[in-house]
Amino acid sequence: MNKYISHPFKLLNTRLGFMSFLTFLFWLKSIFAYLLIFKLGIEDKFQYFILFINPLATTIFLLGLSLYVKKKLMSYLFMGGIYAGLCILLFSNIVYYREFSDFITIPTILGTKSVSAGLSKAAIHLFRPLDIFFLIDLIAIPILFVTKKAIMDPRYFRKRVAIANTAISVMMFFANLFFAESSRPELLSRTFAHDYIIKYLGINFFTGFDGYQTFKTNQVRKKASPNDLTSVKKYVHEHYIAPNEEFFGIAKNRNVIYIHLESFQKFLIDYKLKDKQGQEHEVTPFLNSLFHSQSSFSFDNFFHQVKAGKTSDAENLLENSLFGLNQGPLFTQLGGENTFQAAPDILQQKAGYTSAIFHGNSGTFWNRNETYKRLGIDYFFDSHYFDITDKNSFQYGIHDKPLFQQSVQYLEHLQQPFYSKFLTVSNHYPYSPFTDTESGFPIADTDDKTINGYFATANYLDKSIEEFFNYLKSSGLYEKSIIILYGDHFGISNQRNPSLAKLLEKNEETWNEFDDTQLQRVPLIFHIPGREDGQLNHTYGGQVDILPTLLHLLGIGTTTYLQLGQDLFSPNRDQLVAFRDKHFITPEYTVIGSKIYHTQTGEFLENPSDDTQKKIQELQKKVDLQLATSDRITTGDLLRFYGKKESGLSSINPEKYNYKNGLKKLKDIEKKKKNKSTSIFSLRGKKSTVSLYESKSYQDYFVPQSLK
Ligand code: GP9
Ligand code: MN
């Protein structure tokens, strides 16, 4: 009998056997890390299944490469080297995760971010005794070979079998990907968050994929030069419109409070849902009252302009007055690397604002934890800062009522004026309504469950905002603030719109792309307490226009910044709203590819006159130019060349930002500033405002099993 087989380790002493052994070990370590160290938010049994299989395909593929190496020692060394590499990658991620609650990206490994330097100093404190489990085999296995307890198989490995092994691993990968995409559609095109990729496809894949994306974006970035700014500046200069004098500075020095209305479409405003008995229920009575308030400047022809990055694209549009990318989310693709000149940064440098974001989801979602640093956001209160239970949260984090209520303990310590944003989530797909007896809201009656729940979750959002407003009033923050409410994007997708049609008193049969486009309206409200000259403005605009509008309201000029929007209050604005897919809308035309509709009537222009065609072509050119200019700035990372001389802004050092211990930092500032502290807590004689918050208990709300 062959001595390699008769040895006590038997199968292990064949190359394939040894490879299987290493695969098993790596699988075991990965599962250990997934379950005990990383918080991956596994939601159901299917996701557990995917989690358990996801280390296999890439590990077998990579270790299997050594099977192509003929020489015994070389083949074993190669396999061992790959194995050691994988183990070190996994282990480094474990250590990194303990500090950053995130995973290592290629730019981090390459040291372009000096967190890696900081980490190596801190790393030693991040080791735990248990870690020996992840490393011991890297010492034990070579010892086994040296002491001849394990033996290398000298037999030449047949190429056909090596190829079969590779083929199997590739097939396994596609099966894994198929499962992943069926649990989380568009996983790779939209990427969402690092933990999503790891949950579904494992660390090896994540690192490779990140490397590929980094390479792609670096290529474009490398090619860009300061000369590219010439055409950008020309566009911005020609497109700039001076602010409307009447509104310039009317909110000067006020706190900015953004309320992000998740998935909230304009049609919800003033909408009344009929229940089965035919009784009408106003869906968002509080938001309606704000929309029509004499202290509000509201917009009813205002459109979202997001693409794959959804919420994060909306944030990008608002913070930078730049579009997201045509493919994939800007925050995850460029947010961790690019230079920005965003609202929090401008307001900090020009008017001494402190900035904070409140969001009850994990900070890594949409790569916010990295991007926010580059936007100059001082404090990021993510899920770590909230008391989250099964009852008060769902897959996107803490529900809106507790989000607002629990934010107040931090908000009250912010130095004023502050720039803040509350990212709500409860009105997010799948719109599982809250049903408590007192505040339950009827479910709509269509054949689409998603649509049916949408009104009830919007109603819950409405109530949560009302509670927050009550707090703002009782705490004294209200009069000192400008509160801006905006819908981030559609909640009901185009495919579902025909089912929505009858609720909007439209015909399901004749519903078309024109109607889809009109539904991309989202509400926009600038609420300025104390003003009595509020108005409903019908100008056509989009999210890219918010930043210059806001800065002008705050009395800050925008001529030196590379922003692509136009002040919504300025007369003579273009009133041309570009969508990311190059479709566009004006008060006159809605243009979808080659199809032209009349915006006011919905009439399809079958044979547009030469004149109309020319007009449309010109508009299309403008739209294309706006989008191309945005892409030039973002993919070329051109703002890195646009320095203080031109912009008037010193550049940001993202490494100075760290979102841990936010409350402690705020309190330290209060102490340091003593009677110069402007937080509402200090101004009230160090009396907390937390007890002023009145909320109907969210404990009463629950998601019915049937809708989970
Ligand atoms: C996630 C939340 C929702 O943190 O902002 O994002 P969306 O799915 O709407 O892009
Ligand atoms: Mn969203």
Side-chain angles (χ1 to χ4, degrees):
M1 217 207 291
N2 187 315
K3 72 170 180 169
Y4 302 101
I5 305 294
S6 61
H7 190 274
F9 284 88
K10 285 192 180 145
L11 270 176
L12 273 193
N13 288 336
T14 67
R15 290 193 197 179
L16 197 59
F18 185 57
M19 191 191 97
S20 312
F21 176 61
L22 294 186
T23 306
F24 170 72
L25 280 184
F26 187 74
W27 174 83
L28 197 67
K29 288 183 188 185
S30 304
I31 299 302
F32 221 73
Y34 288 167
L35 298 179
L36 297 181
I37 293 158
F38 306 143
K39 293 194 181 70
L40 298 175
I42 315 290
E43 284 147 22
D44 52 41
K45 287 191 185 126
F46 186 46
Q47 290 189 3
Y48 269 113
F49 166 71
I50 301 173
L51 187 79
F52 273 76
I53 61 161
N54 83 32
L56 292 175
T58 49
T59 311
I60 295 175
F61 177 84
L62 290 170
L63 294 180
L65 294 177
S66 68
L67 300 178
Y68 293 95
V69 181
K70 282 188 194 159
K71 285 199 179 129
K72 178 182 80 173
L73 186 64
M74 286 307 280
S75 172
Y76 272 82
L77 281 179
F78 189 46
M79 195 188 305
I82 293 176
Y83 178 71
L86 293 180
C87 292
I88 290 168
L89 177 70
L90 176 67
F91 184 66
S92 316
N93 270 290
I94 290 169
V95 176
Y96 187 84
Y97 192 87
R98 287 189 182 127
E99 175 67 11
F100 297 100
S101 307
D102 199 355
F103 300 91
I104 302 179
T105 59
I106 296 297
T108 312
I109 295 177
L110 297 178
T112 47
K113 290 183 197 163
S114 63
V115 282
S116 34
L119 184 66
S120 53
K121 269 186 244 146
I124 200 80
H125 304 291
L126 298 168
F127 289 124
R128 306 276 182 276
L130 184 83
D131 292 347
I132 195 76
F133 165 79
F134 291 100
L135 299 173
I136 186 110
D137 56 337
L138 297 185
I139 303 162
I141 293 172
I143 292 178
L144 284 181
F145 279 105
V146 172
T147 57
K148 301 250 164 25
K149 292 267 183 320
I151 296 169
M152 294 182 201
D153 183 351
R155 288 170 304 165
Y156 163 64
F157 202 85
R158 267 175 305 168
K159 205 168 176 187
R160 262 189 314 176
V161 189
I163 292 173
N165 179 77
T166 305
I168 289 172
S169 67
V170 171
M171 270 160 20
M172 282 171 74
F173 176 76
F174 280 106
N176 188 167
L177 186 63
F178 173 75
F179 295 141
E181 287 275 340
S182 49
S183 172
R184 178 60 265 197
E186 299 178 282
L187 176 67
L188 288 190
S189 54
R190 298 184 56 206
T191 53
F192 304 103
H194 297 158
D195 30 346
Y196 273 50
I197 309 250
I198 284 165
K199 169 162 97 173
Y200 288 115
L201 298 165
I203 289 226
N204 305 337
F205 178 82
F206 164 74
T207 311
F209 186 63
D210 184 61
Y212 166 71
Q213 289 207 319
T214 307
F215 174 75
K216 255 189 2 192
T217 51
N218 277 352
Q219 289 303 96
V220 184
R221 184 182 274 122
K222 249 192 222 154
K223 274 194 211 134
S225 80
N227 292 341
D228 299 335
L229 274 173
T230 315
S231 62
V232 169
K233 282 192 272 190
K234 183 168 178 272
Y235 174 83
V236 171
H237 182 70
E238 285 171 6
H239 190 242
Y240 171 81
I241 290 199
N244 184 335
E245 295 273 302
E246 207 188 307
F247 292 91
F248 192 82
I250 64 170
K252 201 175 167 76
N253 286 331
R254 286 190 188 232
N255 301 314
V256 175
I257 303 179
Y258 264 124
I259 300 182
H260 171 106
L261 307 172
E262 179 56 45
S263 304
F264 198 101
Q265 293 175 233
K266 161 72 179 58
F267 76 81
L268 287 170
I269 296 288
D270 295 333
Y271 187 79
K272 294 191 178 77
L273 183 73
K274 269 197 193 128
D275 65 17
K276 283 187 182 135
Q277 287 74 42
Q279 201 189 327
E280 290 191 332
H281 300 261
E282 194 175 355
V283 181
T284 57
F286 184 69
L287 285 169
N288 298 345
S289 72
L290 279 185
F291 194 77
H292 299 292
S293 152
Q294 56 178 9
S295 301
S296 293
F297 300 86
S298 307
F299 293 82
D300 59 358
N301 288 313
F302 181 76
F303 294 80
H304 80 79
Q305 295 171 298
V306 313
K307 214 173 167 191
K310 302 286 281 292
T311 294
S312 65
D313 277 358
E315 288 190 69
N316 175 57
L317 280 148
L318 265 69
E319 304 290 12
N320 296 306
S321 188
L322 294 172
F323 286 82
L325 299 173
N326 196 30
Q327 273 170 342
L330 184 137
F331 267 29
T332 53
Q333 290 189 15
L334 303 173
E337 288 291 299
N338 268 18
T339 300
F340 298 96
Q341 288 171 352
D345 179 25
I346 297 173
L347 287 172
Q348 208 290 313
Q349 297 200 37
K350 297 290 159 195
Y353 276 68
T354 301
S355 53
I357 309 281
F358 301 86
H359 183 47
N361 195 4
S362 153
T364 56
F365 201 94
W366 289 137
N367 201 27
R368 286 184 174 104
N369 52 341
E370 282 300 323
T371 311
Y372 281 179
K373 295 176 186 169
R374 287 158 183 82
L375 300 181
I377 289 164
D378 299 318
Y379 299 91
F380 178 19
F381 297 100
D382 75 345
S383 54
H384 290 93
Y385 285 89
F386 296 93
D387 182 9
I388 299 183
T389 63
D390 275 355
K391 262 194 161 179
N392 75 3
S393 66
F394 74 134
Q395 70 200 89
Y396 291 101
I398 197 166
H399 278 305
D400 302 341
K401 280 195 180 188
L403 167 78
F404 285 117
Q405 183 170 23
Q406 291 186 31
S407 292
V408 160
Q409 60 188 306
Y410 310 117
L411 183 72
E412 66 177 3
H413 292 289
L414 278 180
Q415 293 296 310
Q416 302 185 75
F418 57 74
Y419 174 89
S420 64
K421 181 163 66 183
F422 291 82
L423 292 162
T424 65
V425 289
S426 299
N427 189 46
H428 192 292
Y429 177 83
Y431 312 110
S432 304
F434 307 85
T435 55
D436 81 330
T437 40
E438 184 210 0
S439 7
F441 194 83
I443 304 298
D445 185 24
T446 72
D447 51 13
D448 188 328
K449 226 158 93 175
T450 300
I451 296 176
N452 294 349
Y454 185 55
F455 301 90
T457 49
N459 175 260
Y460 170 82
L461 169 61
D462 186 69
K463 289 190 171 109
S464 73
I465 294 171
E466 183 171 13
E467 289 181 357
F468 184 52
F469 265 69
N470 289 339
Y471 161 80
L472 291 176
K473 286 175 188 163
S474 55
S475 67
L477 284 170
Y478 183 65
E479 289 79 16
K480 298 176 161 191
S481 305
I482 167 171
I483 304 147
I484 309 150
L485 303 101
Y486 67 94
D488 65 340
H489 49 72
F490 62 87
I492 307 300
S493 61
N494 287 349
Q495 294 94 294
R496 297 180 192 277
N497 280 343
S499 305
L500 180 69
K502 77 167 192 274
L503 294 180
L504 305 178
E505 282 163 18
K506 290 267 167 75
N507 187 345
E508 184 175 351
E509 308 299 319
T510 58
W511 187 273
N512 64 8
E513 56 187 3
F514 170 82
D515 301 303
D516 285 335
T517 308
Q518 305 310 310
L519 272 195
Q520 305 316 307
R521 282 180 172 80
V522 289
L524 173 67
I525 306 171
F526 292 93
H527 186 70
I528 310 181
R531 299 288 299 198
E532 287 179 358
D533 54 347
Q535 52 184 251
L536 184 55
N537 192 321
H538 304 302
T539 191
Y540 276 64
Q543 287 164 332
V544 75
D545 299 317
I546 292 189
L547 179 56
T549 312
L550 173 66
L551 290 175
H552 292 164
L553 289 174
L554 298 174
I556 295 170
T558 56
T559 43
T560 59
Y561 308 131
L562 298 182
Q563 299 173 351
L564 302 186
Q566 290 182 330
D567 188 330
L568 289 160
F569 291 105
S570 298
N572 313 324
R573 9 189 349 268
D574 284 350
Q575 298 210 58
L576 170 62
V577 186
F579 298 109
R580 190 52 262 206
D581 52 12
K582 298 186 177 174
H583 300 168
F584 64 87
I585 187 162
T586 73
E588 216 176 334
Y589 302 110
T590 297
V591 177
I592 304 167
S594 56
K595 296 197 189 130
I596 308 167
Y597 297 86
H598 262 308
T599 298
Q600 303 307 326
T601 60
E603 181 201 343
F604 175 54
L605 300 190
E606 222 161 349
N607 297 308
S609 66
D610 285 355
D611 230 32
T612 310
Q613 272 182 10
K614 228 178 115 199
K615 237 188 194 164
I616 299 294
Q617 270 168 15
E618 265 160 33
L619 289 170
Q620 185 72 61
K621 253 198 199 154
K622 279 188 159 185
V623 165
D624 295 354
L625 184 61
Q626 190 183 32
L627 293 168
T629 307
S630 179
D631 290 341
R632 210 165 290 152
I633 297 174
T634 55
T635 61
D637 189 15
L638 296 188
L639 289 173
R640 76 193 139 135
F641 304 127
Y642 194 66
K644 187 165 186 180
K645 255 194 191 157
E646 291 179 284
S647 65
L649 294 172
S650 314
S651 59
I652 277 192
N653 178 2
E655 275 128 38
K656 285 210 175 128
Y657 295 80
N658 176 331
Y659 298 129
K660 285 198 164 166
N661 305 319
L663 185 57
K664 186 178 175 304
K665 287 177 194 157
L666 287 173
K667 286 184 175 171
D668 286 349
I669 293 174
E670 278 174 343
K671 274 190 206 131
K672 225 172 106 193
K673 290 205 153 192
K674 292 193 186 132
N675 53 7
K676 292 218 172 72
S677 168
T678 55
S679 70
I680 198 75
F681 177 81
S682 300
L683 294 181
R684 285 170 47 95
K686 298 189 187 167
K687 244 178 75 197
S688 173
T689 60
V690 170
S691 63
L692 300 176
Y693 206 103
E694 284 180 25
S695 177
K696 294 241 172 74
S697 168
Y698 55 82
Q699 306 286 359
D700 301 338
Y701 296 87
F702 66 94
V703 181
Q705 282 304 322
S706 60
L707 285 155
K708 263 195 170 169

